[in-house]
Each structure stands twice: as C-alpha cells, then as structure tokens.
Amino acid sequence: MASAILLFLAVVGVILFLAGRFSGRRSDRRVAFLYLAPALALLAVGLVYPAARTIYQSFFDAAGETFIGVDNYRTIFTSSDQLTVLRNTVLWVLVTPFVATGVGLLYAILVDKARLESFAKALIFLPMSISFVGASIIWKFIYEYRPDQVGVNQIGLLNQVIVWAHGTPQQWLVSPPWNTLFLILVMIWIQAGFAMTVLSAAIKAIPDDVVEAARLDGVTALGMFRFVTLPSIRPAVVVVLTTIGIGTLKVFDIVRTMTGGQFDTSVVANEFYSQSFRSGNEGLGAALAVLLFVLVVPIVVYNVRQLRAAEAR
C-alpha cells in the first residue's frame, strides 16, 4: 500500500511538473494529454488489452495452446447445450426490459401526485438497494420446495400459499423453460424500481400548460397517456429500455445463485464463467465473452446516441 501511494504521488508530481513547464507556451493540448495519460494508460491495461487478449484466445482450444480457428464460435451456434444458453439469453432480453419498464411506467403514473407518493415510490425502489445475490437468496426462499408429505411444512412462501389453497407444491426452479421465467421475475422485481424512478421524473417534467390544454380539450385518461404522456417521455423510455437491456444481457448473479445454470437455465454470462473457470475450456469461454461483448456494444451505442439526441433538444 505504501509503495502504491508513493507511486501515485510520484506520477502526480511528474504530471504537475511537466504541466508547469508547458504553461505559458500555448500548449493546452499537451497539458490536457498529460492529465489524461494516466487514465488512458489504465484504460489500455484494464480494458483494451484484456479485450484483445480475449478475442485472440477465442481462436484456440480448451487449453489455449492449439489454434482451431472459429470452431469455438461454431460450437456456440451448433451445440444443443449452447443453443439452449442462447435461447435463454434471448428470452431474458425480450421479456425483462419491456415488462420491467411497463411495470415501472404504470406505477409511476398511478402514484403520481398521490397522497403517499414518496412512500409508495420507496416501496418499489427498495429492491434496487439490494444486491443481485441478496435478491436471489430472498427469491430462492420464496420458491423453496419441500416434499408434499404429512408432517413436512413448506418454508417457501409460494408453495405455502398453494398449500393453503389446497394445491400441490411445485419445484419451480427445475422445470424448463418455466424456471427461466421465474428467474426473470427476480430481475423484473429489481429493475422496476429503476424504471419507475426515471420515468416518474420524466412525467413530472411535462409542462403543466400542455397537460391543462389537453384536459380542456376533453382528452380522456387513456388519450392523455397515449397522446401527451408517452410522446413526452419517449427519450426516457428508450434510455430505460436500453439500460435494463444491457444489464439483462450481462445477468450472472441471479442464475449463478439460484440454479447455478442447471436445469437449462444458463445464460451467456453464466456459461462464460462456467466454461472458463469450472470446465477449464478457456477457448469456448473466451468465445462466449466475445459474443457477449458483440451483443452489448450495439445497445450501448444506441443508448449514447439517444442521450445525445435528448440533450440536444
């Protein structure tokens, strides 16, 4: 720690010394580059090099020694196990962002200007303060199953409710593809609070004169949402959808904590971990990491463009 602190002070001292030497010589670009150089170096070491190394490694075998070309990528799109992983990932991306955004938007509209608005918003936002692992443990207890036998009590909330309704308890996390949907529900529970917060702020930013004009024109509640609220908050909706979509593509904690990727519930991020660190298949793990990167980048680019477009208005 002492060495790291001394190194940091030395780097800062060199930067300030050189910046002082350049001052007064119209070398603003040089000074700016000096201040950016440490960050650029850390970015190159911590991001650019690992990304290039991962791409390079994805063309080698499990041991990372023999060059096999695109065989790892061919395995991803032909192996039945990997196709299941891709199917699950697509299901996560198609369901989670839209449902979470829809729930958050509906909740934001319903509690807008209500008497206990702050309290109601705090309730749905609370899951955002819980880590993915913590939320997964909570929901794992909710889905917990005990054999339907005399003297055996259910400890899972969902199965206990079913028993009270004279039904038969189920093993919710072992039957594909429904178990994937039960995992997705956890992500929706967490992200709905984020969607509600952003969209509620966007709704409150709608000018009052626009709302009053619509009401004077006799616009119904549904028409108000369709022709006033939704067009006004469209940039915020797009940002929320893309942000949740990025988080969904990278989901790992929920799957790893609740099922470990078993019972056909694995997704790309979890499979990358399993292949790289549990199965010892470095090549396939690297290929999965590259695939995840390729899937995330277009959404990130689109999100950045939408944010810039919103700021330009």
Side-chain angles (χ1 to χ4, degrees):
M1 184 181 295
S3 300
I5 293 174
L6 291 175
L7 179 61
F8 172 77
L9 293 176
V11 171
V12 172
V14 170
I15 292 174
L16 293 177
F17 173 76
L18 294 176
R21 294 293 298 269
F22 287 140
S23 61
R25 301 181 184 179
R26 297 181 180 180
S27 301
D28 293 340
R29 290 186 178 181
R30 292 184 180 181
V31 174
F33 177 77
L34 282 172
Y35 284 111
L36 289 175
L40 293 175
L42 291 174
L43 191 64
V45 173
L47 182 62
V48 177
Y49 172 74
R53 179 67 179 174
T54 301
I55 296 173
Y56 173 79
Q57 192 173 4
S58 68
F59 296 106
F60 285 79
D61 63 355
E65 299 175 352
T66 305
F67 180 81
I68 59 174
V70 296
D71 285 356
N72 288 319
Y73 295 97
R74 187 179 294 111
T75 299
I76 293 175
F77 293 102
T78 57
S79 170
S80 59
D81 292 338
Q82 298 305 318
L83 287 175
T84 300
V85 170
L86 294 179
R87 181 204 66 188
N88 292 338
T89 303
V90 170
L91 187 61
W92 274 82
V93 175
L94 290 179
V95 175
T96 306
F98 294 99
V99 175
T101 302
V103 171
L105 178 58
L106 178 62
Y107 198 86
I109 293 174
L110 292 177
V111 303
D112 187 44
K113 299 180 180 179
R115 290 181 57 186
L116 299 176
E117 179 180 356
S118 298
F119 177 73
K121 289 181 176 179
L123 288 179
I124 194 173
F125 188 78
L126 276 176
M128 285 291 298
S129 63
I130 305 173
S131 68
F132 278 21
V133 174
S136 301
I137 293 174
I138 292 172
W139 280 86
K140 194 172 183 179
F141 277 113
I142 292 176
Y143 293 143
E144 187 64 34
Y145 167 81
R146 288 291 183 270
D148 187 19
Q149 300 175 0
V150 178
V152 176
N153 296 321
Q154 297 295 326
I155 65 172
L157 176 61
L158 184 55
N159 275 322
Q160 183 58 58
V161 171
I162 290 177
V163 170
W164 284 337
H166 305 289
T168 303
Q170 304 292 326
Q171 299 189 55
W172 304 103
L173 299 179
V174 300
S175 301
W178 302 106
N179 49 4
T180 298
L181 294 176
F182 290 124
L183 297 183
I184 289 174
L185 183 60
V186 181
M187 187 71 166
I188 294 172
W189 181 67
I190 297 173
Q191 295 295 337
F194 164 74
M196 180 275 302
T197 303
V198 176
L199 297 178
S200 178
I203 291 173
K204 290 186 178 299
I206 300 176
D208 292 336
D209 54 348
V210 174
V211 177
E212 292 298 329
R215 289 175 178 172
L216 290 175
D217 288 340
V219 178
T220 62
L222 183 60
M224 182 74 71
F225 170 78
R226 180 180 177 183
F227 299 110
V228 178
T229 303
L230 193 57
S232 300
I233 66 173
R234 181 183 175 277
V237 172
V238 172
V239 170
V240 170
L241 280 171
T242 52
T243 303
I244 297 178
I246 293 170
T248 302
L249 274 173
K250 301 184 297 179
V251 66
F252 167 80
D253 316 62
I254 296 174
V255 176
R256 173 56 52 181
T257 303
M258 298 188 70
T259 64
Q262 301 180 52
F263 314 116
D264 291 340
T265 59
S266 188
V267 291
V268 172
N270 180 74
E271 190 67 14
F272 151 68
Y273 169 83
S274 298
Q275 294 293 338
S276 299
F277 302 107
R278 297 179 69 89
S279 301
N281 194 337
E282 297 180 3
L284 183 57
L288 287 165
V290 173
L291 174 63
L292 185 61
F293 176 76
V294 171
L295 292 175
V296 169
V297 166
I299 303 179
V300 173
V301 172
Y302 180 75
N303 201 1
V304 171
R305 288 183 176 179
Q306 289 298 316
L307 286 173
R308 289 179 178 176
E311 292 174 356
R313 294 177 181 177

